[in-house]
C-alpha cells in the first residue's frame, strides 16, 4: 500500500517505446487523479508505465530505494555554448 492506503503494483515495458513510458521497476496505484497531481501525463498513475502519482513516488523510495523515483520534470538539453 502506498501512503494513501492504495495498493501499488509494478509496471512493465508495455509503453517502453514512448519516452518516459517504461514502467519496469516502478510502482503504480492506477488511480485517475488528474493532470494537476500527475503532470505530463493523462492524469492516471500508471498502471503499466509513465509518471507516478506523488504517493507512489514516495512508496517507490521506501520499497525500492535502489531504483530512483521518476523525476518531476524531464531533463532539458543544455543551451548552446556561445563561440
Amino acid at each position: 500500500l502506498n501512503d494513501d492506503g492504495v495498493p501499488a503494483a509494478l509496471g512493465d515495458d508495455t509503453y517502453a517505446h514512448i519516452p518516459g513510458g517504461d514502467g519496469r521497476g516502478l510502482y503504480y496505484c492506477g488511480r485517475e487523479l488528474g493532470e494537476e497531481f500527475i503532470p505530463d501525463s493523462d492524469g492516471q498513475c500508471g498502471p503499466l508505465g509513465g509518471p507516478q502519482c506523488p504517493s507512489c513516488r514516495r512508496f517507490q523510495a521506501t520499497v525500492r530505494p535502489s531504483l530512483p523515483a521518476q523525476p518531476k520534470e524531464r531533463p532539458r538539453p543544455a543551451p548552446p555554448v556561445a563561440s
Side-chain angles (χ1 to χ4, degrees):
L1 299 177
N2 63 23
D3 60 10
D4 285 343
V6 180
L10 283 170
D12 62 26
D13 64 352
T14 300
Y15 298 107
H17 63 284
I18 300 170
D22 191 348
R24 289 177 289 189
L26 299 175
Y27 285 88
Y28 300 99
C29 63
R31 293 179 295 170
E32 293 189 24
L33 300 173
E35 292 179 46
E36 64 276 5
F37 286 100
I38 311 172
D40 300 321
S41 75
D42 62 359
Q44 184 173 16
C45 180
L48 303 175
Q52 297 165 294
C53 71
S55 184
C56 284
R57 282 196 306 266
R58 291 188 296 270
F59 179 73
Q60 182 83 43
T62 62
V63 174
R64 303 283 302 261
S66 62
L67 293 173
Q70 286 183 308
K72 290 184 181 174
E73 46 180 72
R74 295 183 182 117
R76 301 184 195 278
V81 176
S83 49

